[in-house]
Amino acid sequence: MANEATSIADPSRPTPPVSSPAATRRAVYNTLRGSSGNLVEWYDVYVYTVFATYFENQFFDSADKNSTLYVYAIFAVTFLMRPVGSWFFGRYADRNGRRAALTFSVSLMAACSLVISLTPGRESIGVWAAIILILSRLVQGFATGGEYGASATYMSEAATRERRGFFSSFQYVTLVGGHVLAQVTLLIMQVFLDRGQMEEFGWRIAFFIGGVAAVVVFWLRRSMDESLTKDQLAAVRSGVDRASGSMRELLSNYWRALLVCFLVTAGGTIAFYTYSVNAPSMIRTAYEDRGMTGTWINLFGLVFLMLLQPIGGMISDKVGRKPLLVFFGIGGVLYTYFLITYLPTATSVFASVTLVCVGYVILTGYTSINAIVKAELFPSHVRALGVGLGYALANSAFGGTAPLIYQAAKNSGQVTWFIVYVTVVIAVSLLVYIFVLRNKSETVLDREQGRAFE
């Protein structure tokens, strides 16, 4: 099914030489610059959910019992823009270079965060406050859709062959790190501001920070190496290469890889948002009357998840990607029920931390290597488009909707059906991990190694 990406390596093929120290230094340099923007962009994504309870009354009527549902509905709707963003930025990255696409996306994200931070509340401008919030989040969804594909592609191409899993894992180090930064920002503000001040202006500061941080990232990304060769970019500019970034090329010749990318993502993305967005929300609710205890638990858990990512990447460099994905799939099928059922009722810090951390160990089987698994499916001329589009379609359908569906299920007393839904989606992806993906096979990235960064 995934013939483009899963041809079995010839056992007689000589082992490639270990990358030189200079190549390793370059990989570190480019990974840091590529992932820095990822950190800021995902801070801007998660600052919304982390501060949602503080700003919802600024945009919606506090007397409306569905105001929280509206906030998460906006979070879910923005995911509809991710496929559009992945198409636009994927094509842009495959035709104009990864660096240009990544710089553009972080600029859009920052501009919208600044707009949200400065938007007057509903008492001043009425329904226009909610409209501006929705439009800003839609543009951010567009930018995020482009960020993922270009970032996953760039970090996979920038990595040295023998440490590709390790280096590419930093995409999720910084993705989770963005969530950690949002939680740290909340924690610091809770120390110095009371709830009234948080609702009045504290949340605005959080959004403003994300906008300002992007200025530094813009400079860093402008200075990183380009992973497409000069010949590839010249061929596109001259019109000789019309296949790069082409939807026709992707759907005609790499539709199997695109389908695999979608199915690999489906179970992972629904687990990620269930475990890392819904679970922290459950903890905040459970410890609402215990000061900052819930915030500390969430922060500890997310830091733990962040630190697990390079470990998962290193393990995959030794044993292959497939064992980690199968571990995640089996764990997710078996553990989702326990997490969602018992976490909301946990009354001790130890129990809450244990439940969350076990879930994060399972989740790492997917998060630490998903970028490299998808990048290995496509050749360079459609890689950013294929990775971004396959991810965004699955992410929009299953990931971004998870917080909204859970909230709706909770309000209607149907949480059991949400558990079944999440478990089934993970199980479908598990079948793909077992029966479609091959382990330690030669990939397109292996054959292209050495052509980039000329």
Side-chain angles (χ1 to χ4, degrees):
M1 186 175 187
N3 293 332
E4 296 94 336
T6 56
S7 56
I8 299 178
D10 180 359
S12 63
R13 183 168 53 89
T15 302
V18 175
S19 299
S20 66
T24 300
R25 284 194 298 273
R26 173 174 282 182
V28 172
Y29 170 92
N30 289 309
T31 297
L32 289 174
R33 280 155 177 76
S35 60
S36 61
N38 208 42
L39 179 69
V40 172
E41 286 217 30
W42 288 99
Y43 168 86
D44 287 334
V45 170
Y46 287 115
V47 75
Y48 181 91
T49 58
V50 169
F51 283 85
T53 57
Y54 296 106
F55 68 72
E56 66 178 61
N57 292 338
Q58 293 283 338
F59 297 95
F60 301 101
D61 188 352
S62 58
D64 190 339
K65 64 179 182 180
N66 291 319
S67 61
T68 301
L69 193 62
Y70 297 152
V71 169
Y72 281 107
I74 293 174
F75 181 76
V77 168
T78 60
F79 281 72
L80 297 178
M81 290 298 294
R82 291 200 180 186
V84 181
S86 68
W87 166 77
F88 176 86
F89 282 101
R91 176 177 171 79
Y92 191 88
D94 286 332
R95 296 186 64 82
N96 298 281
R98 322 306 190 198
R99 179 175 58 195
L102 289 169
T103 303
F104 186 10
S105 68
V106 76
S107 301
L108 268 183
M109 199 78 179
C112 290
S113 285
L114 289 175
V115 169
I116 293 173
S117 71
L118 299 174
T119 298
R122 63 181 300 276
E123 292 184 358
S124 300
I125 59 174
V127 70
W128 283 105
I131 292 174
I132 293 173
L133 176 65
I134 293 170
L135 291 176
S136 296
R137 289 297 295 176
L138 286 174
V139 175
Q140 287 189 319
F142 174 77
T144 305
E147 171 71 19
Y148 179 91
S151 176
T153 295
Y154 183 80
M155 283 196 257
S156 299
E157 292 171 342
T160 56
R161 175 171 180 156
E162 68 277 3
R163 297 187 182 91
R164 201 172 282 148
F166 171 74
F167 280 117
S168 64
S169 72
F170 279 85
Q171 187 195 33
Y172 260 76
V173 169
T174 49
L175 191 154
V176 178
H179 202 168
V180 169
L181 280 182
Q183 291 284 353
V184 169
T185 303
L186 173 62
L187 186 65
I188 292 173
M189 288 188 179
Q190 285 179 330
V191 172
F192 296 101
L193 304 176
D194 59 33
R195 186 171 183 89
Q197 292 171 319
M198 291 285 288
E199 292 178 350
E200 182 181 357
F201 62 85
W203 65 271
R204 294 183 184 276
I205 296 173
F207 278 96
F208 188 79
I209 289 171
V212 173
V215 175
V216 177
V217 172
F218 180 87
W219 176 79
L220 287 173
R221 283 192 163 177
R222 292 277 295 174
S223 64
M224 69 188 189
D225 292 332
E226 175 55 55
S227 63
L228 287 182
T229 66
K230 294 179 181 178
D231 290 342
Q232 287 175 286
L233 294 174
V236 171
R237 294 192 191 100
S238 66
V240 173
D241 180 1
R242 296 183 180 275
S244 290
S246 166
M247 281 294 292
R248 177 179 294 180
E249 171 76 359
L250 179 67
L251 297 178
S252 297
N253 299 319
Y254 302 98
W255 65 269
R256 292 181 181 85
L258 182 63
L259 179 59
V260 170
C261 183
F262 175 88
L263 294 173
V264 165
T265 305
T269 192
I270 197 170
F272 180 77
Y273 281 93
T274 299
Y275 288 26
S276 71
V277 175
N278 287 338
S281 178
M282 295 174 196
I283 289 173
R284 282 196 299 270
T285 300
Y287 290 88
E288 194 170 16
D289 59 347
R290 294 170 65 176
M292 294 188 295
T293 303
T295 303
W296 279 110
I297 293 173
N298 286 333
L299 180 59
F300 177 85
L302 288 171
V303 169
F304 178 69
L305 176 61
M306 182 176 68
L307 296 177
L308 285 174
Q309 303 312 298
I311 298 173
M314 286 190 289
I315 292 173
S316 78
D317 286 330
K318 298 295 184 181
V319 304
R321 325 295 181 206
K322 181 172 180 174
L324 273 76
L325 287 173
V326 172
F327 165 76
F328 155 71
I330 294 174
V333 167
L334 297 177
Y335 190 69
T336 299
Y337 166 80
F338 291 96
L339 180 69
I340 298 176
T341 300
Y342 295 108
L343 186 60
T345 60
T347 57
S348 74
V349 172
F350 177 78
S352 298
V353 169
T354 301
L355 284 166
V356 167
C357 287
V358 170
Y360 287 163
V361 170
I362 294 170
L363 188 61
T364 296
Y366 168 80
T367 55
S368 64
I369 59 169
N370 81 98
I372 185 63
V373 168
K374 296 164 196 173
E376 289 175 338
L377 292 170
F378 302 94
S380 62
H381 70 289
V382 291
R383 182 170 294 136
L385 179 61
V387 171
L389 191 61
Y391 159 81
L393 289 171
N395 192 243
S396 299
F398 303 108
T401 57
L404 175 64
I405 294 174
Y406 172 75
Q407 190 67 36
K410 179 182 175 182
N411 289 350
S412 61
Q414 300 294 327
V415 173
T416 299
W417 285 109
F418 177 76
I419 296 172
V420 172
Y421 165 62
V422 173
T423 302
V424 169
V425 175
I426 296 174
V428 171
S429 288
L430 175 60
L431 295 176
V432 175
Y433 305 152
I434 294 173
F435 296 109
V436 177
L437 299 182
R438 301 180 186 178
N439 199 42
K440 299 185 73 113
S441 301
E442 184 183 42
T443 68
V444 182
L445 269 173
D446 294 325
R447 294 192 288 273
E448 292 175 349
Q449 185 74 35
R451 288 165 44 194
F453 302 101
E454 289 179 343

